[in-house]
Coordinates of all heavy atoms in Angstrom, one line a residue:
M1 N 10.2 -11.4 0.7 CA 9.8 -12.8 0.4 C 10.6 -13.8 1.2 O 11.9 -13.7 1.3 CB 10.0 -13.0 -1.1 CG 9.6 -14.3 -1.5 SD 9.6 -14.4 -3.4 CE 11.1 -15.3 -3.6
L2 N 10.0 -14.7 1.9 CA 10.7 -15.7 2.7 C 11.1 -16.8 1.7 O 10.4 -17.2 0.8 CB 9.8 -16.3 3.8 CG 9.4 -15.3 4.9 CD1 8.5 -16.0 5.8 CD2 10.6 -14.9 5.6
E3 N 12.3 -17.3 1.9 CA 12.8 -18.4 1.1 C 13.1 -19.6 2.0 O 13.4 -19.5 3.2 CB 14.1 -17.9 0.4 CG 13.9 -16.8 -0.4 CD 15.2 -16.2 -1.0 OE1 16.2 -16.9 -0.9 OE2 15.2 -15.1 -1.4
A4 N 13.0 -20.8 1.4 CA 13.3 -22.0 2.0 C 14.8 -22.1 2.5 O 15.7 -21.6 1.8 CB 13.0 -23.2 1.2
C5 N 15.1 -22.6 3.6 CA 16.5 -22.6 4.1 C 17.1 -24.0 3.8 O 16.4 -25.0 3.9 CB 16.5 -22.4 5.7 SG 15.9 -20.8 6.2
P6 N 18.4 -24.0 3.6 CA 19.0 -25.3 3.3 C 18.9 -26.1 4.6 O 18.8 -25.6 5.7 CB 20.5 -24.9 3.1 CG 20.4 -23.4 2.7 CD 19.2 -22.8 3.4
E7 N 18.9 -27.5 4.5 CA 18.7 -28.3 5.7 C 19.8 -28.1 6.8 O 19.4 -28.1 7.9 CB 18.9 -29.8 5.2 CG 17.7 -30.2 4.4 CD 16.4 -30.3 5.2 OE1 16.4 -30.7 6.3 OE2 15.4 -29.9 4.6
S8 N 21.0 -27.7 6.4 CA 22.0 -27.5 7.4 C 21.8 -26.2 8.3 O 22.4 -25.9 9.3 CB 23.4 -27.5 6.8 OG 23.5 -26.5 5.9
Y9 N 20.9 -25.3 7.8 CA 20.7 -24.1 8.5 C 19.2 -23.9 8.8 O 18.5 -22.9 8.5 CB 21.1 -22.9 7.6 CG 22.6 -22.9 7.2 CD1 22.9 -23.3 5.9 CD2 23.5 -22.6 8.1 CE1 24.3 -23.3 5.6 CE2 24.8 -22.6 7.8 CZ 25.2 -23.0 6.5 OH 26.5 -23.0 6.3
V10 N 18.6 -24.9 9.4 CA 17.1 -24.9 9.7 C 16.7 -23.9 10.6 O 15.5 -23.5 10.5 CB 16.7 -26.3 10.2 CG1 16.9 -27.4 9.1 CG2 17.4 -26.7 11.5
E11 N 17.5 -23.2 11.4 CA 17.1 -22.2 12.3 C 17.3 -20.8 11.7 O 17.0 -19.9 12.3 CB 17.8 -22.3 13.6 CG 17.5 -23.6 14.4 CD 18.2 -23.6 15.8 OE1 18.6 -22.6 16.2 OE2 18.1 -24.7 16.4
T12 N 17.7 -20.8 10.5 CA 18.0 -19.5 9.8 C 16.7 -19.1 9.0 O 16.0 -19.9 8.4 CB 19.1 -19.6 8.8 OG1 20.2 -20.1 9.5 CG2 19.4 -18.4 8.1
I13 N 16.4 -17.8 9.1 CA 15.3 -17.3 8.4 C 15.9 -16.4 7.3 O 16.6 -15.4 7.6 CB 14.3 -16.5 9.3 CG1 13.7 -17.3 10.3 CG2 13.2 -15.8 8.4 CD1 12.9 -16.6 11.3
M14 N 15.6 -16.7 6.1 CA 16.2 -15.9 4.9 C 15.2 -14.9 4.5 O 14.0 -15.4 4.2 CB 16.6 -16.8 3.8 CG 17.9 -17.8 4.3 SD 18.3 -18.9 3.0 CE 19.0 -17.8 1.8
V15 N 15.5 -13.7 4.3 CA 14.6 -12.7 3.8 C 15.2 -12.1 2.5 O 16.3 -11.6 2.6 CB 14.3 -11.6 4.8 CG1 13.4 -10.5 4.3 CG2 13.8 -12.1 6.1
G16 N 14.5 -12.3 1.4 CA 14.9 -11.7 0.1 C 14.4 -10.4 -0.2 O 13.6 -9.9 0.5
P17 N 14.8 -9.9 -1.4 CA 14.3 -8.6 -1.7 C 12.9 -8.5 -2.4 O 12.5 -7.4 -2.7 CB 15.4 -8.2 -2.8 CG 15.8 -9.4 -3.4 CD 15.8 -10.4 -2.3
G18 N 12.3 -9.7 -2.5 CA 10.9 -9.7 -3.1 C 9.9 -9.0 -2.2 O 10.1 -8.8 -1.1
S19 N 8.8 -8.7 -2.8 CA 7.7 -8.0 -2.2 C 7.1 -9.0 -1.1 O 7.0 -10.2 -1.2 CB 6.6 -7.8 -3.2 OG 5.4 -7.3 -2.5
I20 N 6.8 -8.4 0.1 CA 6.1 -9.2 1.1 C 4.6 -9.1 1.0 O 3.9 -9.6 1.8 CB 6.5 -8.7 2.5 CG1 6.0 -7.2 2.8 CG2 8.0 -8.8 2.7 CD1 6.2 -6.8 4.2
G21 N 4.1 -8.6 -0.1 CA 2.7 -8.6 -0.2 C 2.2 -7.3 -0.5 O 2.9 -6.3 -0.4
T22 N 1.0 -7.2 -1.0 CA 0.4 -5.9 -1.4 C -0.7 -5.4 -0.3 O -1.2 -4.4 -0.5 CB -0.2 -5.9 -2.7 OG1 -1.2 -7.0 -2.7 CG2 0.9 -6.2 -3.8
F23 N -0.9 -6.2 0.7 CA -1.9 -5.9 1.7 C -1.4 -4.7 2.5 O -0.4 -4.9 3.2 CB -2.3 -7.1 2.5 CG -3.4 -6.9 3.5 CD1 -4.6 -6.4 3.0 CD2 -3.3 -7.2 4.8 CE1 -5.8 -6.1 3.9 CE2 -4.4 -7.0 5.7 CZ -5.6 -6.5 5.2
N24 N -2.0 -3.5 2.5 CA -1.4 -2.4 3.2 C -1.4 -2.5 4.7 O -0.9 -1.7 5.4 CB -2.2 -1.1 2.7 CG -3.6 -1.1 3.1 OD1 -4.2 -2.0 3.7 ND2 -4.3 0.0 2.8
R25 N -2.1 -3.5 5.3 CA -2.0 -3.7 6.7 C -1.0 -4.7 7.2 O -0.7 -5.0 8.3 CB -3.4 -4.2 7.2 CG -4.5 -3.1 7.0 CD -5.8 -3.7 7.4 NE -6.8 -2.7 7.4 CZ -7.1 -2.1 8.6 NH1 -6.6 -2.4 9.7 NH2 -8.1 -1.1 8.5
S26 N -0.2 -5.3 6.2 CA 0.8 -6.2 6.5 C 2.1 -5.4 7.0 O 2.4 -4.4 6.5 CB 1.2 -7.0 5.3 OG 0.2 -7.8 4.9
T27 N 2.7 -6.0 8.0 CA 4.1 -5.5 8.5 C 4.9 -6.6 8.4 O 4.6 -7.8 8.2 CB 4.0 -4.9 9.8 OG1 3.7 -6.0 10.7 CG2 2.9 -3.8 10.0
L28 N 6.3 -6.4 8.5 CA 7.2 -7.5 8.5 C 7.0 -8.5 9.6 O 7.0 -9.7 9.4 CB 8.6 -6.9 8.6 CG 9.7 -7.9 8.5 CD1 9.7 -8.6 7.1 CD2 11.1 -7.2 8.6
T29 N 6.5 -8.0 10.8 CA 6.3 -8.9 11.9 C 5.0 -9.7 11.7 O 5.0 -10.9 12.2 CB 6.2 -8.1 13.2 OG1 5.2 -7.1 13.1 CG2 7.5 -7.5 13.6
T30 N 4.0 -9.2 11.1 CA 2.8 -10.0 10.8 C 3.1 -11.0 9.7 O 2.7 -12.1 9.8 CB 1.6 -9.2 10.4 OG1 1.9 -8.3 9.3 CG2 1.2 -8.2 11.6
Y31 N 3.8 -10.6 8.7 CA 4.2 -11.5 7.6 C 5.0 -12.6 8.1 O 4.8 -13.8 7.7 CB 4.9 -10.7 6.5 CG 5.2 -11.6 5.3 CD1 4.3 -11.9 4.4 CD2 6.5 -12.0 5.1 CE1 4.6 -12.7 3.3 CE2 6.9 -12.8 4.1 CZ 5.9 -13.1 3.2 OH 6.2 -13.9 2.1
M32 N 5.9 -12.4 9.0 CA 6.8 -13.5 9.5 C 6.2 -14.2 10.6 O 6.8 -15.3 11.1 CB 8.1 -12.8 10.0 CG 8.9 -12.2 8.8 SD 10.5 -11.5 9.4 CE 11.4 -13.0 9.7
G33 N 5.0 -13.9 11.1 CA 4.3 -14.6 12.1 C 4.8 -14.2 13.5 O 4.3 -14.9 14.5
I34 N 5.6 -13.3 13.7 CA 6.2 -12.9 15.0 C 5.0 -12.3 15.9 O 4.9 -12.6 17.1 CB 7.3 -11.9 14.8 CG1 8.5 -12.5 14.1 CG2 7.7 -11.3 16.2 CD1 9.5 -11.5 13.7
M35 N 4.1 -11.6 15.3 CA 3.0 -11.0 16.0 C 2.1 -12.0 16.6 O 1.5 -11.8 17.6 CB 2.2 -10.0 15.2 CG 3.0 -8.7 14.9 SD 3.5 -7.8 16.4 CE 1.9 -7.4 17.1
D36 N 2.0 -13.2 15.9 CA 1.2 -14.3 16.5 C 1.6 -14.7 17.9 O 0.8 -14.9 18.8 CB 1.1 -15.5 15.6 CG 0.5 -15.2 14.2 OD1 -0.4 -14.3 14.2 OD2 0.8 -15.9 13.3
Y37 N 2.9 -14.7 18.0 CA 3.5 -15.1 19.3 C 3.3 -14.0 20.4 O 3.1 -14.3 21.6 CB 5.0 -15.4 19.2 CG 5.4 -16.7 18.3 CD1 5.9 -16.5 17.1 CD2 5.1 -17.9 18.8 CE1 6.2 -17.6 16.3 CE2 5.3 -19.0 18.1 CZ 5.9 -18.9 16.8 OH 6.1 -20.0 16.0
I38 N 3.5 -12.8 19.9 CA 3.4 -11.7 20.9 C 1.9 -11.6 21.3 O 1.5 -11.4 22.5 CB 3.8 -10.4 20.2 CG1 5.3 -10.4 19.9 CG2 3.4 -9.1 21.0 CD1 5.9 -9.3 19.1
R39 N 1.0 -11.7 20.4 CA -0.5 -11.7 20.7 C -0.9 -12.8 21.7 O -1.6 -12.6 22.6 CB -1.4 -11.8 19.5 CG -1.4 -10.5 18.7 CD -2.5 -10.7 17.6 NE -2.0 -9.9 16.5 CZ -1.5 -10.2 15.4 NH1 -1.3 -11.6 15.1 NH2 -1.1 -9.3 14.5
A40 N -0.2 -14.0 21.5 CA -0.5 -15.2 22.4 C 0.0 -14.9 23.8 O -0.6 -15.2 24.8 CB 0.2 -16.4 21.9
I41 N 1.2 -14.2 23.9 CA 1.7 -13.9 25.2 C 0.8 -12.8 25.9 O 0.5 -13.0 27.1 CB 3.1 -13.3 25.1 CG1 4.1 -14.4 24.6 CG2 3.6 -12.7 26.3 CD1 5.4 -13.9 24.2
F42 N 0.4 -11.8 25.2 CA -0.5 -10.8 25.8 C -1.9 -11.4 26.2 O -2.4 -11.1 27.2 CB -0.8 -9.7 24.8 CG 0.2 -8.5 24.9 CD1 1.5 -8.6 24.2 CD2 0.0 -7.5 25.6 CE1 2.4 -7.6 24.3 CE2 0.8 -6.4 25.8 CZ 2.1 -6.5 25.1
S43 N -2.4 -12.3 25.4 CA -3.6 -13.0 25.7 C -3.5 -13.8 26.9 O -4.3 -13.8 27.8 CB -4.0 -13.8 24.5 OG -5.2 -14.5 24.7
K44 N -2.4 -14.6 27.0 CA -2.2 -15.4 28.2 C -2.1 -14.7 29.4 O -2.6 -14.9 30.5 CB -1.0 -16.3 27.9 CG -0.7 -17.3 29.1 CD 0.6 -18.1 28.8 CE 0.9 -19.0 30.0 NZ 2.2 -19.6 29.8
E45 N -1.3 -13.5 29.4 CA -1.0 -12.8 30.6 C -2.2 -11.9 30.9 O -2.4 -11.6 32.2 CB 0.1 -11.9 30.3 CG 1.4 -12.6 30.1 CD 1.9 -13.4 31.4 OE1 1.7 -12.9 32.5 OE2 2.3 -14.6 31.1
T46 N -3.1 -11.6 30.1 CA -4.2 -10.7 30.4 C -5.6 -11.4 30.5 O -6.6 -10.8 31.0 CB -4.4 -9.5 29.4 OG1 -4.7 -10.1 28.2 CG2 -3.1 -8.7 29.4
G47 N -5.6 -12.6 29.9 CA -7.0 -13.3 29.9 C -7.9 -12.7 28.8 O -9.1 -13.1 28.7
Q48 N -7.4 -11.8 28.0 CA -8.2 -11.3 26.9 C -8.0 -12.1 25.6 O -6.9 -12.7 25.5 CB -7.8 -9.8 26.7 CG -8.0 -9.0 27.9 CD -9.4 -8.8 28.3 OE1 -10.3 -8.6 27.5 NE2 -9.7 -9.1 29.6
P49 N -8.9 -12.0 24.7 CA -8.7 -12.7 23.4 C -7.6 -12.2 22.6 O -7.3 -10.9 22.7 CB -10.0 -12.5 22.7 CG -10.7 -11.3 23.3 CD -10.2 -11.3 24.7
A50 N -6.9 -13.0 21.9 CA -5.7 -12.6 21.1 C -6.0 -11.5 20.1 O -5.2 -10.6 19.8 CB -5.0 -13.7 20.4
G51 N -7.3 -11.5 19.6 CA -7.7 -10.5 18.5 C -7.6 -9.1 19.1 O -7.6 -8.2 18.3
L52 N -7.7 -8.9 20.4 CA -7.7 -7.6 21.0 C -6.3 -6.9 20.8 O -6.2 -5.8 20.7 CB -8.0 -7.7 22.5 CG -8.0 -6.3 23.2 CD1 -9.2 -5.4 22.7 CD2 -8.2 -6.5 24.7
F53 N -5.3 -7.8 20.5 CA -4.0 -7.2 20.4 C -3.5 -7.2 18.9 O -2.4 -7.2 18.5 CB -3.0 -8.0 21.2 CG -3.4 -8.1 22.7 CD1 -4.0 -9.2 23.2 CD2 -3.3 -7.0 23.4 CE1 -4.4 -9.2 24.5 CE2 -3.7 -6.9 24.7 CZ -4.3 -8.1 25.3
S54 N -4.6 -7.1 18.0 CA -4.4 -7.0 16.6 C -5.0 -5.7 16.1 O -6.2 -5.5 16.4 CB -4.8 -8.2 15.8 OG -4.8 -7.9 14.5
F55 N -4.4 -4.9 15.3 CA -5.0 -3.7 14.8 C -5.8 -4.0 13.5 O -6.4 -3.2 12.8 CB -4.1 -2.5 14.6 CG -2.8 -2.9 13.8 CD1 -2.8 -3.1 12.4 CD2 -1.6 -2.9 14.4 CE1 -1.7 -3.5 11.7 CE2 -0.4 -3.3 13.7 CZ -0.5 -3.6 12.3
N56 N -5.8 -5.3 13.1 CA -6.5 -5.8 12.0 C -7.8 -6.6 12.5 O -8.5 -7.2 11.7 CB -5.7 -6.7 11.1 CG -4.6 -6.0 10.4 OD1 -4.8 -4.9 10.0 ND2 -3.5 -6.6 10.3
S57 N -8.0 -6.5 13.8 CA -9.1 -7.3 14.4 C -9.9 -6.4 15.5 O -9.9 -5.2 15.3 CB -8.6 -8.6 15.1 OG -9.7 -9.4 15.5
S58 N -10.3 -7.0 16.6 CA -11.1 -6.3 17.5 C -10.2 -5.2 18.3 O -10.8 -4.4 19.0 CB -11.7 -7.2 18.5 OG -10.7 -8.0 19.2
G59 N -8.9 -5.3 18.2 CA -8.1 -4.2 18.9 C -7.9 -3.0 18.1 O -7.2 -2.1 18.5
A60 N -8.6 -2.9 16.9 CA -8.3 -1.8 16.0 C -8.9 -0.5 16.6 O -9.9 -0.5 17.3 CB -8.9 -2.0 14.7
C61 N -8.2 0.6 16.4 CA -8.8 1.9 16.8 C -10.0 2.1 16.0 O -10.2 2.0 14.8 CB -7.7 3.0 16.4 SG -8.4 4.7 16.5
P62 N -11.1 2.5 16.7 CA -12.5 2.6 16.1 C -12.5 3.8 15.1 O -13.4 3.9 14.2 CB -13.4 2.8 17.3 CG -12.6 3.3 18.4 CD -11.2 2.8 18.2
V63 N -11.6 4.8 15.3 CA -11.7 6.0 14.5 C -11.0 5.8 13.1 O -11.6 6.0 12.0 CB -11.0 7.2 15.2 CG1 -11.0 8.4 14.3 CG2 -11.8 7.6 16.5
C64 N -9.8 5.2 13.1 CA -9.0 5.0 11.9 C -9.2 3.6 11.4 O -8.6 3.2 10.3 CB -7.6 5.4 12.1 SG -6.7 4.4 13.2
K65 N -9.9 2.7 12.1 CA -10.1 1.3 11.7 C -8.7 0.6 11.7 O -8.5 -0.4 10.8 CB -10.8 1.2 10.4 CG -12.1 2.0 10.3 CD -13.1 1.4 11.2 CE -14.5 2.1 10.9 NZ -14.9 3.0 12.0
G66 N -7.8 1.0 12.5 CA -6.5 0.3 12.6 C -5.5 0.7 11.6 O -4.4 0.1 11.5
K67 N -5.7 1.8 10.9 CA -4.7 2.3 9.9 C -3.7 3.2 10.5 O -2.7 3.4 9.9 CB -5.5 3.0 8.8 CG -6.3 2.0 7.9 CD -7.0 2.8 6.7 CE -7.8 1.8 5.9 NZ -8.6 2.5 4.9
G68 N -4.1 3.8 11.5 CA -3.1 4.8 12.2 C -3.2 6.2 11.6 O -2.7 7.1 12.1
V69 N -3.9 6.3 10.5 CA -4.0 7.6 9.8 C -5.5 7.7 9.3 O -6.2 6.7 9.2 CB -3.0 7.7 8.6 CG1 -1.6 7.7 9.0 CG2 -3.3 6.6 7.5
T70 N -5.9 8.9 9.1 CA -7.2 9.2 8.6 C -7.0 10.0 7.3 O -6.0 10.7 7.1 CB -8.1 10.0 9.5 OG1 -7.5 11.2 9.9 CG2 -8.4 9.1 10.8
T71 N -7.9 9.9 6.4 CA -7.9 10.7 5.1 C -9.2 11.5 5.0 O -10.2 11.0 4.5 CB -7.8 9.7 3.9 OG1 -8.8 8.7 4.0 CG2 -6.4 9.1 3.8
P72 N -9.3 12.7 5.6 CA -10.4 13.5 5.5 C -10.8 13.8 4.1 O -10.0 13.9 3.2 CB -10.0 14.8 6.3 CG -8.6 14.7 6.4 CD -8.1 13.3 6.3
D73 N -12.1 14.0 3.9 CA -12.6 14.3 2.6 C -12.3 15.8 2.2 O -12.8 16.6 2.8 CB -14.1 14.1 2.6 CG -14.8 14.4 1.2 OD1 -14.0 14.3 0.2 OD2 -15.9 14.7 1.1
T74 N -11.4 15.8 1.3 CA -10.9 17.1 0.8 C -11.2 17.2 -0.7 O -10.2 17.2 -1.5 CB -9.4 17.5 1.1 OG1 -8.7 16.4 0.6 CG2 -9.2 17.5 2.7
S75 N -12.5 17.3 -1.0 CA -12.8 17.3 -2.4 C -12.3 18.5 -3.2 O -12.2 18.5 -4.4 CB -14.3 17.2 -2.6 OG -14.9 18.3 -2.0
F76 N -12.0 19.6 -2.4 CA -11.4 20.8 -3.1 C -9.9 20.8 -3.1 O -9.3 21.8 -3.7 CB -12.0 22.0 -2.3 CG -11.5 22.0 -0.8 CD1 -10.3 22.5 -0.4 CD2 -12.4 21.4 0.1 CE1 -10.0 22.4 1.0 CE2 -12.1 21.3 1.4 CZ -10.9 21.9 1.8
A77 N -9.2 19.8 -2.6 CA -7.8 19.8 -2.6 C -7.3 18.4 -2.9 O -8.0 17.5 -3.0 CB -7.3 20.3 -1.3
D78 N -5.9 18.3 -3.0 CA -5.3 17.0 -3.2 C -5.6 16.1 -2.0 O -5.9 16.6 -0.8 CB -3.8 17.2 -3.3 CG -3.4 17.8 -4.7 OD1 -4.2 17.8 -5.6 OD2 -2.3 18.4 -4.7
P79 N -5.5 14.8 -2.2 CA -5.8 13.8 -1.0 C -4.9 14.1 0.1 O -3.6 14.5 -0.1 CB -5.6 12.5 -1.7 CG -5.8 12.7 -3.1 CD -5.4 14.1 -3.4
L80 N -5.3 14.0 1.3 CA -4.5 14.4 2.5 C -4.6 13.3 3.5 O -5.7 12.7 3.8 CB -5.1 15.6 3.2 CG -4.4 16.2 4.3 CD1 -3.0 16.6 4.1 CD2 -5.3 17.3 5.0
T81 N -3.5 12.8 4.0 CA -3.4 11.7 5.0 C -2.8 12.4 6.3 O -1.7 12.9 6.3 CB -2.6 10.5 4.5 OG1 -3.2 10.0 3.3 CG2 -2.6 9.5 5.6
I82 N -3.6 12.2 7.4 CA -3.0 12.8 8.7 C -3.1 11.7 9.7 O -3.8 10.7 9.7 CB -3.9 14.0 9.2 CG1 -5.3 13.6 9.4 CG2 -3.7 15.2 8.2 CD1 -6.1 14.7 10.0
L83 N -2.2 11.8 10.7 CA -2.1 10.9 11.8 C -3.4 10.9 12.6 O -4.0 12.0 12.8 CB -0.9 11.4 12.8 CG -0.4 10.4 13.8 CD1 0.2 9.2 13.1 CD2 0.6 11.1 14.7
C84 N -3.9 9.7 12.9 CA -5.1 9.6 13.7 C -5.0 10.3 15.0 O -4.1 10.0 15.8 CB -5.5 8.1 13.9 SG -7.0 7.8 14.9
E85 N -5.9 11.2 15.3 CA -6.0 11.9 16.5 C -6.3 11.1 17.8 O -6.0 11.4 18.9 CB -6.8 13.1 16.5 CG -6.3 14.2 15.5 CD -7.2 15.4 15.4 OE1 -8.2 15.5 16.2 OE2 -7.0 16.3 14.6
S86 N -7.1 10.0 17.5 CA -7.6 9.2 18.6 C -6.5 8.3 19.1 O -6.3 8.2 20.4 CB -8.7 8.3 18.1 OG -9.3 7.5 19.1
C87 N -5.8 7.5 18.3 CA -4.8 6.7 18.7 C -3.4 7.1 18.6 O -2.4 6.5 19.0 CB -4.9 5.3 18.0 SG -4.6 5.4 16.2
G88 N -3.2 8.3 18.0 CA -1.9 8.9 17.8 C -1.0 8.1 16.9 O 0.2 8.1 16.9
G89 N -1.7 7.2 16.0 CA -0.9 6.5 15.0 C -0.5 5.1 15.5 O 0.1 4.3 14.8
T90 N -0.9 4.7 16.8 CA -0.6 3.4 17.3 C -1.4 2.3 16.6 O -1.0 1.1 16.7 CB -0.8 3.3 18.8 OG1 -2.2 3.5 19.1 CG2 0.0 4.4 19.6
R91 N -2.6 2.7 16.1 CA -3.5 1.8 15.4 C -4.3 1.0 16.3 O -5.2 0.2 15.9 CB -2.7 0.9 14.4 CG -1.9 1.7 13.4 CD -0.9 0.8 12.7 NE -1.6 0.2 11.5 CZ -1.0 -0.5 10.5 NH1 0.3 -0.7 10.6 NH2 -1.7 -0.9 9.5
Y92 N -4.1 1.1 17.6 CA -4.9 0.2 18.6 C -5.9 1.0 19.3 O -5.8 2.2 19.5 CB -3.9 -0.4 19.6 CG -3.0 -1.4 19.1 CD1 -1.7 -1.2 18.6 CD2 -3.5 -2.8 18.9 CE1 -0.9 -2.1 18.1 CE2 -2.7 -3.8 18.3 CZ -1.4 -3.5 17.9 OH -0.6 -4.4 17.4
S93 N -7.0 0.3 19.7 CA -8.0 1.0 20.5 C -7.5 1.2 21.9 O -6.5 0.7 22.4 CB -9.2 0.0 20.6 OG -8.9 -1.1 21.4
D94 N -8.2 2.1 22.6 CA -7.9 2.5 24.0 C -7.9 1.2 24.9 O -7.0 1.1 25.8 CB -8.9 3.5 24.6 CG -8.7 4.9 24.0 OD1 -7.5 5.1 23.4 OD2 -9.6 5.7 24.1
E95 N -8.9 0.3 24.7 CA -8.9 -0.9 25.5 C -7.7 -1.8 25.3 O -7.0 -2.3 26.2 CB -10.1 -1.8 25.2 CG -10.2 -3.1 26.0 CD -11.4 -3.9 25.6 OE1 -12.1 -3.6 24.6 OE2 -11.6 -4.9 26.3
A96 N -7.3 -1.9 24.0 CA -6.0 -2.7 23.7 C -4.8 -2.1 24.3 O -4.0 -2.7 24.9 CB -5.9 -3.0 22.2
L97 N -4.8 -0.7 24.2 CA -3.6 0.0 24.8 C -3.6 0.0 26.3 O -2.5 0.1 26.9 CB -3.6 1.4 24.2 CG -3.3 1.6 22.8 CD1 -3.5 3.1 22.4 CD2 -1.9 1.1 22.4
S98 N -4.7 -0.2 26.9 CA -4.8 -0.3 28.4 C -4.0 -1.5 28.9 O -3.7 -1.4 30.1 CB -6.3 -0.2 28.9 OG -6.9 -1.4 28.7
Y99 N -3.9 -2.5 28.1 CA -3.1 -3.7 28.7 C -1.7 -3.5 28.4 O -0.9 -4.3 28.6 CB -3.7 -4.9 27.9 CG -5.1 -5.2 28.4 CD1 -6.2 -4.9 27.7 CD2 -5.3 -5.8 29.7 CE1 -7.5 -5.2 28.1 CE2 -6.6 -6.1 30.1 CZ -7.7 -5.8 29.3 OH -9.0 -6.0 29.8
Ligands
LIG1 ZN1 -6.6 5.6 15.2

């Protein structure tokens, strides 16, 4: 959980022990907005849309839908989660990774 910084420490980012959210696609870098800057840099340098560099948007691996893992239907056994064979867990499409 991000907390407001005292006026004298405006350049400080405070991170507390609270939950950063329940969305399973959130990471610390997306929550803090760091990935927005990284996507903007990749977009500017490649001329591609920024969404291509997001695994929650058009840059998602088409097999695992940007999750990095797949959960095959195992109705006869306990739920199973395995690393995506297409993206190797990177969560990105081949096109996004090509840049
Ligand atoms: Zn994948």
Side-chain angles (χ1 to χ4, degrees):
M1 181 171 105
L2 293 177
E3 300 174 14
C5 298
E7 290 295 322
S8 59
Y9 300 105
V10 292
E11 294 184 14
T12 303
I13 298 173
M14 298 177 65
V15 180
S19 172
I20 64 169
T22 56
F23 188 51
N24 64 359
R25 291 175 173 266
S26 295
T27 66
L28 186 58
T29 54
T30 56
Y31 181 75
M32 295 179 73
I34 295 169
M35 286 304 296
D36 294 336
Y37 294 111
I38 294 173
R39 283 188 210 103
I41 292 168
F42 270 85
S43 178
K44 180 181 176 186
E45 294 297 320
T46 65
Q48 299 299 312
L52 182 63
F53 305 104
S54 170
F55 51 73
N56 293 320
S57 187
S58 60
C61 168
V63 175
C64 65
K65 310 291 189 249
K67 291 180 180 176
V69 294
T70 57
T71 51
D73 182 22
T74 54
S75 57
F76 55 87
D78 290 337
L80 179 66
T81 302
I82 59 173
L83 196 66
C84 176
E85 292 181 7
S86 179
C87 66
T90 64
R91 306 170 84 173
Y92 289 97
S93 68
D94 287 341
E95 182 185 5
L97 291 173
S98 73
Y99 291 101

